[in-house]
């Protein structure tokens, strides 16, 4: 790995996780506020997650197994906020409360 | 107030003091990078670093022990079993820490013999305290375990949180013991040493702070027991699932078999996903309560923990966890940046939140807020963010110039340490360290005076 490729690869990895966090945060906030604008922004963030995953797969010298893992994890990012949201809502349903 | 809660207040006070000592030696350690010959042969860098890291471990441990002593009697509705023993050991613990600190300050190190190991410095990174003090920590943990389990048995009552805590106490006491054997093979030694660092600090502590946060969420946000316990079980499952084998990322370059590269890389890369779930949960809770609570600082510090944990452990960790990248980044200031951010997010924010809850309860104030805590919150978080960015810059310069270009030679290390990018990063770290220290001063000021400044009759905002 060249010095430039090192920083490039690591930077993309960090950006991917950060964009994933942005997607999760904005998705949840948009559902709380019922705000379509926030929701679109959340999906833009997820688009960035996919973009970074594609860039990692296509332009970094990482081994194929790590590229596959990164792409797979980028796909799983899509599911985490909606599934967590549904789980939270279900847990907080009034009929389910047993404080 | 229970005697256990009074003991908790002692632990909190000690934790805050050691937090200050840690900050002071962190600043001093930062200066060595800018003035490498500073205090040469009087008080060298490694002693300052030891003081910085060991007091980090001690203040967080004391904060978490205090938090359990605070919440436990409330959870079970009775005084903690054997509290007198815990009270005695608290003072023994504090005295031992002070003695060890004085030895580190004035004796520093001895010759390579048994005497040094037992009475001066054990010589193991992050657990340098001499052997007698290490045994003392084990005794403190055993009494702590006796207090928790004994109280649960005495009341013949168990909650989900207590089950998790009691099970966690087993590795909390046992895993620390692997700091003791003396291996002559460095790979074997490091193999078990990482159990101490990763399994004890990053594993059992993670579960311990999870239990504390479960109590905190019930206290501050009014979340139901069923919900917090469900999340706690999920967290334990994730810690066991991804965290234990995530240990592999420490095994990359210490002489262990090559399969650790795959195991460590795979499980470490999965670690941001549960942290993302935590971010979703934190925003959900904040939104549900419309950021209104009877303890604003406590609530904001809990929320900061979720974000800090995701960014510090998740983003910073993901950036450098794959073996191909870690080959260049490990052991540089890049790792230091990750360590600072992750510890801050995972533990420190949570412990500070508990301090505010205890403060409110002991002073009988219905609604805790004000301006000073916001300054403390802002300065501490801004200072930490600035420090980790400075360290990241310096670490990337080391990885780029010293490792990838220079080939990891001693000369390359020296040259990269003089590189303008590295030096700029370390200046930024020092500057933001001062900001962080100011935040600490404001935090202490607020913790001491907040309740005096808050009128007792202030009505809390409307509940969500």
């Amino acid at each position: 790995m060249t010095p430039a490729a090192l920083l490039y690869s690591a930077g993309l990895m960090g950006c991917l996780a950060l964009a994933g966090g942005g997607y999760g945060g904005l998705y949840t906030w948009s559902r709380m506020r019922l705000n379509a604008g926030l929701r679109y922004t959340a999906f833009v963030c997820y688009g960035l997650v996919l973009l970074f995953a594609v860039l990692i797969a296509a332009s970094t010298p990482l081994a194929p197994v790590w590229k596959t893992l990164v792409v797979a994890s980028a796909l799983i990012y899509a599911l985490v906020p909606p599934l967590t949201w549904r789980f939270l809502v279900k847990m907080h349903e009034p009929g389910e409360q047993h404080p | 107030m229970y005697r256990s809660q009074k003991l908790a207040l002692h632990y909190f006070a000690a934790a805050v003091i050691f937090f200050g000592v840690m900050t002071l030696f962190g600043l001093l350690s930062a200066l060595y990078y800018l003035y490498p010959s500073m205090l040469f042969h009087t008080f060298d860098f490694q002693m300052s670093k030891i003081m910085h890291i060991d007091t980090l471990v001690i203040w967080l441990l004391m904060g978490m022990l205090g938090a359990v002593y605070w919440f436990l009697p409330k959870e079970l509705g009775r005084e903690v079993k054997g509290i007198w023993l815990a009270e005695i050991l608290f003072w023994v613990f504090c005295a031992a820490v002070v003695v060890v600190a004085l030895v580190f300050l004035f004796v520093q190190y001895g010759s390579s013999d048994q005497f040094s190991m037992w009475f001066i410095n054990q010589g193991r990174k992050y657990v340098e305290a001499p052997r007698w003090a290490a045994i003392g920590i084990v005794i403190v943990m055993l009494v702590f375990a006796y207090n928790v389990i004994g109280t649960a048995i005495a009341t013949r009552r168990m909650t989900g949180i207590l089950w998790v805590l009691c099970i966690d106490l087993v590795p909390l006491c046992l895993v620390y013991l692997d700091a003791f054997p003396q291996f002559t093979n460095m790979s074997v030694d490091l193999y078990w040493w990482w159990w101490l660092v990763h399994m004890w600090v990053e594993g059992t502590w993670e579960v311990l702070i999870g239990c504390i946060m479960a109590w905190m969420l019930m206290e501050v946000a009014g979340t139901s027991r069923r919900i917090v316990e469900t999340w706690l079980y999920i967290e334990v499952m994730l810690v066991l699932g991804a965290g234990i084998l995530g240990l592999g990322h420490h095994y990359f370059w210490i002489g262990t078999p090559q399969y650790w590269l795959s195991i460590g890389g795979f499980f470490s890369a999965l670690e941001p996903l549960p942290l993302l779930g935590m971010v979703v949960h934190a925003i959900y809770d904040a939104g549900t309560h419309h950021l209104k609570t009877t303890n604003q600082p406590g609530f904001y510090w809990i929320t900061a923990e979720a974000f800090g944990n995701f960014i510090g452990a998740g983003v910073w960790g993901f950036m450098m966890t794959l073996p191909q990248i870690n080959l260049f980044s490990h052991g540089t200031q890049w790792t230091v940046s990750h360590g600072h951010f992750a510890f801050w997010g995972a533990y420190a924010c949570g412990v500070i939140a508990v301090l505010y809850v205890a403060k409110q309860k002991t002073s009988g104030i219905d609604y805790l807020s004000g301006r000073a805590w916001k300054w403390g919150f802002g300065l501490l978080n801004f200072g930490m963010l600035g420090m980790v960015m400075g360290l990241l810059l310096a670490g990337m310069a080391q990885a780029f110039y010293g490792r990838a270009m220079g080939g990891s030679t001693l000369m390359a290390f020296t040259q990269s340490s003089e590189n303008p990018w590295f030096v700029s990063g370390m200046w930024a770290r020092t500057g933001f360290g001062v900001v962080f220290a100011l935040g600490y001063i404001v935090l202490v000021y607020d913790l001491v005076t907040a309740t005096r400044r808050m009128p007792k009759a202030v009505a809390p905002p409307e509940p969500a």
Side-chain angles (χ1 to χ4, degrees):
Chain A
M1 190 177 285
T2 63
L6 164 71
L7 295 191
Y8 176 69
S9 308
L12 284 178
M13 296 278 288
C15 288
L16 187 150
L18 200 58
Y23 162 58
L26 288 168
Y27 177 87
T28 315
W29 203 241
S30 73
R31 296 292 299 255
M32 299 290 305
R33 291 279 181 93
L34 300 173
N35 185 320
L38 281 173
R39 204 161 180 186
Y40 289 132
T41 317
F43 289 128
V44 168
C45 278
Y46 184 66
L48 288 174
V49 171
L50 290 177
L51 175 69
F52 291 131
V54 169
L55 284 173
I56 288 168
S59 61
T60 67
L62 293 174
V65 63
W66 300 125
K67 289 180 177 177
T68 311
L69 181 67
V70 167
V71 172
S73 101
L75 295 174
I76 296 171
Y77 270 99
L79 303 174
V80 175
L83 287 180
T84 312
W85 171 266
R86 281 172 65 178
F87 183 59
L88 283 167
V89 170
K90 192 168 166 25
M91 273 205 306
H92 285 78
E93 278 172 2
E96 296 280 314
Q97 292 279 5
H98 304 288
Chain B
M1 183 187 286
Y2 292 99
R3 276 172 68 185
S4 171
Q5 292 185 312
K6 287 182 182 165
L7 174 64
L9 295 179
H10 284 114
Y11 265 114
F12 293 149
V16 170
I17 290 169
F18 290 123
F19 181 16
V21 177
M22 180 207 72
T23 307
L24 185 68
F25 281 95
L27 272 176
L28 186 64
S29 302
L31 286 174
Y32 282 97
Y33 287 98
L34 302 171
Y35 306 101
S37 57
M38 187 178 73
L39 299 175
F40 189 58
H41 280 176
T42 304
F43 190 71
D44 290 337
F45 168 76
Q46 79 268 18
M47 296 315 299
S48 180
K49 184 188 163 199
I50 287 172
M51 288 292 291
H52 178 56
I53 294 177
D54 287 13
T55 44
L56 161 78
V57 174
I58 291 296
W59 91 261
L60 290 177
L61 186 62
M62 285 190 160
M64 288 191 283
L65 292 183
V68 174
Y69 282 122
W70 178 264
F71 286 113
L72 188 61
K74 195 178 172 190
E75 178 81 349
L76 293 174
R78 65 156 284 164
E79 184 57 83
V80 167
K81 184 90 174 163
I83 188 65
W84 62 273
L85 194 54
E87 286 169 344
I88 293 169
L89 274 181
F90 166 75
W91 293 108
V92 174
F93 192 9
C94 287
V97 172
V98 171
V99 170
V100 171
L102 290 174
V103 169
F104 284 165
L105 288 174
F106 297 108
V107 183
Q108 298 182 9
Y109 52 86
S111 50
S112 302
D113 55 22
Q114 291 287 322
F115 180 83
S116 295
M117 188 184 72
W118 277 94
F119 298 104
I120 300 175
N121 189 323
Q122 195 177 192
R124 312 194 89 169
K125 211 162 60 162
Y126 309 156
V127 281
E128 287 91 349
R131 183 62 51 92
W132 71 267
I135 292 172
I137 289 178
V138 173
I139 294 169
V140 169
M141 297 314 298
L142 286 173
V143 169
F144 175 66
Y146 162 67
N147 291 146
V148 175
I149 297 169
T151 312
I153 291 171
T155 49
R156 297 179 183 280
R157 184 174 164 235
M158 282 298 266
T159 62
I161 299 172
L162 265 182
W163 268 116
V164 173
L165 180 60
C166 288
I167 293 169
D168 186 50
L169 286 171
V170 178
L172 194 64
C173 293
L174 289 181
V175 175
Y176 185 78
L177 294 174
D178 79 12
F180 293 93
Q182 293 169 276
F183 296 106
T184 50
N185 183 305
M186 199 166 191
S187 292
V188 176
D189 189 60
L190 282 171
Y191 183 94
W192 292 110
W193 177 76
W194 275 117
W195 271 57
L196 174 68
V197 176
H198 185 91
M199 299 292 196
W200 195 63
V201 174
E202 297 177 40
T204 62
W205 280 29
E206 196 83 52
V207 177
L208 182 60
I209 194 80
C211 294
I212 295 165
M213 285 302 107
W215 280 321
M216 281 288 291
L217 283 170
M218 288 197 291
E219 185 86 34
V220 174
T223 313
S224 80
R225 177 176 291 279
R226 188 181 59 83
I227 291 171
V228 295
E229 288 186 345
T230 306
W231 272 105
L232 189 59
Y233 299 146
I234 292 170
E235 188 200 314
V236 171
M237 190 180 73
L238 293 169
V239 165
L240 296 177
I244 288 181
L245 286 172
L247 166 76
H249 64 240
H250 299 297
Y251 284 172
F252 287 169
W253 323 114
I254 62 168
T256 48
Q258 198 175 2
Y259 54 73
W260 280 109
L261 296 177
S262 309
I263 295 171
F266 180 77
F267 284 97
S268 305
L270 293 182
E271 284 186 44
L273 294 170
L275 297 175
L276 179 62
M278 277 178 64
V279 168
V280 173
H281 192 187
I283 293 175
Y284 185 91
D285 270 347
T288 305
H289 294 86
H290 300 284
L291 297 175
K292 286 176 183 169
T293 168
T294 55
N295 190 322
Q296 275 214 318
F299 190 73
Y300 273 81
W301 276 109
I302 293 176
T303 310
E305 176 169 14
F307 285 96
N309 207 357
F310 174 76
I311 300 173
V315 176
W316 257 239
F318 193 65
M319 197 168 13
M320 51 182 271
T321 199
L322 296 183
Q324 277 181 281
I325 293 169
N326 193 274
L327 176 66
F328 301 95
S329 66
H330 80 281
T332 63
Q333 298 297 323
W334 198 337
T335 322
V336 179
S337 172
H338 166 55
H340 274 75
F341 217 165
F343 259 84
W344 180 248
Y347 303 117
C349 292
V351 171
I352 295 172
V354 180
L355 298 179
Y356 273 107
V357 166
K359 186 70 195 173
Q360 183 187 21
K361 296 295 171 188
T362 49
S363 51
I365 285 201
D366 293 330
Y367 176 58
L368 186 62
S369 186
R371 287 173 60 188
W373 78 265
K374 292 175 188 166
W375 277 100
F377 181 86
L379 287 169
L380 282 165
N381 282 298
F382 184 62
M384 178 54 68
L385 193 64
M387 275 196 290
V388 298
M389 294 309 291
L391 288 166
L392 181 67
L393 180 68
M396 284 184 160
Q398 280 184 307
F400 188 92
Y401 294 106
R403 296 277 172 82
M405 280 179 73
S408 302
T409 60
L410 180 61
M411 182 55 77
F413 169 78
T414 309
Q415 284 174 341
S416 69
S417 300
E418 292 169 346
N419 183 278
W421 286 103
F422 178 86
V423 175
S424 306
M426 297 316 288
W427 270 109
R429 178 247 178 102
T430 309
F432 282 102
V434 172
V435 174
F436 185 87
L438 288 174
Y440 167 79
I441 292 167
V442 176
L443 173 78
V444 174
Y445 167 76
D446 191 48
L447 284 169
V448 172
T449 65
T451 50
R452 280 184 230 153
R453 286 179 282 109
M454 290 294 297
K456 295 207 173 188
V458 169
E462 287 178 22

